[in-house]
Amino acid sequence: MPTELSPTARALRTLEILQSRTAGVTAEELAASLGVTERAARRYVGILREAGIPVHSTRGPYGGYRLGRGARLPPVVFTEPEALGLVMAVLDGQPAAADPDADDLVGTALGKVIRALPESVGRQAAALREHASAAPDRHASRADPALTSTLVAASAMRRRVLVTYRSESGNEWEAEVDPWAVVVRYGRWYLLCHSHRADAIRTYRIDRVRAVRETAHRFEMPDGLDPVAALEENLGQGWAFPTRVVFDAPMAEVLPSIRPPMGRLEPSGDGCVLVGSTRNPTMYAQEWLAQLPLAFRVEGGQELRAAVRVLATRFTAAVTDEP
């Protein structure tokens, strides 16, 4: 750190270090980062405290400083790459946030962050927001932030909850579940849980959750749970229409082309079989099976076979010469 920096600049640099080191930083580490003595580093911590920024300290050989939570928001300190990366991530996940005049919760929050940035950084972030075009994802859904936060908190505290859920068809029910994890997948937010109503693993779209109530019961998280892998595996199970697709090729050759929601791939003789279920046989045939670069046979279920016949007839008609 150059020696000509003013005390104000070093105090802001101290704040930046504390913001980036959420686990805490010792006086020795802080002094080394600032290029000053430990006594001077403590002085800059004192300046932050005088400004109303909550900096907590822990005594002892492993003690140090940590930025605490307080009623007053500390200044936002971002580098230009951090600020631009934040804007890009927001626009990627919430295209409506690109319009500062739109009635969008995330867009309003993004505007506040941009206005709080230093002039040089904020100007670039605002330009990126203004001139970048974001196409909406037709498959994305917006989960309620309050309900999502409640589910995350219940998962962290290992607290069982009662979930009121409405299916795509409009049916509504209440289920008592152990909320294992909240998972974001391709623009959709899911609750991975164990349903006591079904005595099975379930995945609920959080945008279809209507209410969440905590109970007095606690639960134990399964050992070695990989939430993303468990979600992927269970997205292809529990739907109304069974699916069974047979491949003559070995599993190692087929597996790279199979998306987890399509079902579970199992060895079968010299080949393998894909067993699962779907709520939409037409979508399963058109968007998944039609894109496989491998030969296959659809042995079940009845609805999927019918959807494949319709698709095959349409494709055949597309290349049939006119009489």
Side-chain angles (χ1 to χ4, degrees), residues 156-301:
M157 295 186 297
R158 307 292 192 263
R159 184 78 68 181
R160 189 177 301 172
V161 295
L162 290 172
V163 172
T164 302
Y165 192 78
R166 180 178 296 171
S167 67
E168 185 178 22
S169 61
N171 296 325
E172 190 169 300
W173 67 85
E174 187 175 72
E176 187 176 17
V177 304
D178 296 341
W180 289 349
V182 169
V183 182
V184 187
R185 180 183 182 275
Y186 301 140
R188 288 180 176 171
W189 292 70
Y190 293 90
L191 173 66
L192 176 69
C193 61
H194 177 267
S195 169
H196 293 270
R197 179 173 182 251
D199 191 22
I201 298 175
R202 287 290 183 262
T203 55
Y204 294 138
R205 278 178 47 177
I206 298 180
D207 60 298
R208 294 178 182 165
V209 173
R210 294 294 175 259
V212 179
R213 290 189 292 122
E214 287 190 2
T215 73
H217 303 290
R218 301 184 68 84
F219 68 88
E220 294 294 328
M221 191 73 73
D223 292 336
L225 176 69
D226 183 335
V228 175
L231 178 80
E232 293 278 8
E233 180 179 350
N234 283 275
L235 281 175
Q237 300 178 13
W239 299 107
F241 305 108
T243 61
R244 182 179 176 84
V245 182
V246 178
F247 301 86
D248 291 331
M251 279 188 61
E253 183 179 337
V254 177
L255 190 58
S257 300
I258 301 301
R259 297 173 57 183
M262 296 174 69
R264 184 178 61 258
L265 197 62
E266 303 173 344
S268 177
D270 294 331
C272 55
V273 59
L274 179 64
V275 180
S277 63
T278 181
R279 65 177 178 84
N280 189 333
T282 300
M283 179 277 298
Y284 195 103
Q286 293 181 354
E287 297 188 14
W288 289 348
L289 292 183
Q291 298 184 35
L292 291 178
L294 302 161
F296 59 85
R297 299 187 308 278
V298 180
E299 293 187 350

Side-chain angles (χ1 to χ4, degrees), residues 23-221:
V25 58
T26 67
E28 181 181 2
E29 293 170 335
L30 184 59
S33 298
L34 294 172
V36 298
T37 64
E38 291 186 29
R39 181 178 180 181
R42 294 189 183 95
R43 185 165 64 247
Y44 296 126
V45 170
I47 292 174
L48 294 180
R49 287 171 172 165
E50 290 177 3
I53 297 172
V55 181
H56 302 318
S57 59
T58 305
R59 297 185 181 277
Y62 302 104
Y65 299 106
R66 179 176 57 83
L67 200 61
R69 296 182 181 275
R72 299 177 64 179
L73 182 66
V76 180
V77 180
F78 290 131
T79 64
E80 183 174 313
E82 288 172 343
L84 297 180
L86 177 62
V87 174
M88 291 173 67
V90 171
L91 298 185
D92 182 51
Q94 182 101 339
D99 184 359
D101 298 322
D103 185 17
D104 180 78
L105 181 68
V106 176
T108 300
L110 178 62
K112 291 180 179 179
V113 171
I114 291 176
R115 287 192 295 273
L117 292 171
E119 172 63 24
S120 59
V121 177
R123 184 172 58 251
Q124 295 296 322
L128 176 61
R129 182 191 191 187
E130 179 181 355
H131 297 291
S133 299
D137 183 353
R138 63 187 180 91
H139 297 295
S141 60
R142 300 300 166 211
D144 181 88
L147 289 178
T148 305
S149 178
T150 300
L151 290 170
V152 169
S155 176
M157 295 186 297
R158 307 292 192 263
R159 184 78 68 181
R160 189 177 301 172
V161 295
L162 290 172
V163 172
T164 302
Y165 192 78
R166 180 178 296 171
S167 67
E168 185 178 22
S169 61
N171 296 325
E172 190 169 300
W173 67 85
E174 187 175 72
E176 187 176 17
V177 304
D178 296 341
W180 289 349
V182 169
V183 182
V184 187
R185 180 183 182 275
Y186 301 140
R188 288 180 176 171
W189 292 70
Y190 293 90
L191 173 66
L192 176 69
C193 61
H194 177 267
S195 169
H196 293 270
R197 179 173 182 251
D199 191 22
I201 298 175
R202 287 290 183 262
T203 55
Y204 294 138
R205 278 178 47 177
I206 298 180
D207 60 298
R208 294 178 182 165
V209 173
R210 294 294 175 259
V212 179
R213 290 189 292 122
E214 287 190 2
T215 73
H217 303 290
R218 301 184 68 84
F219 68 88
E220 294 294 328
M221 191 73 73

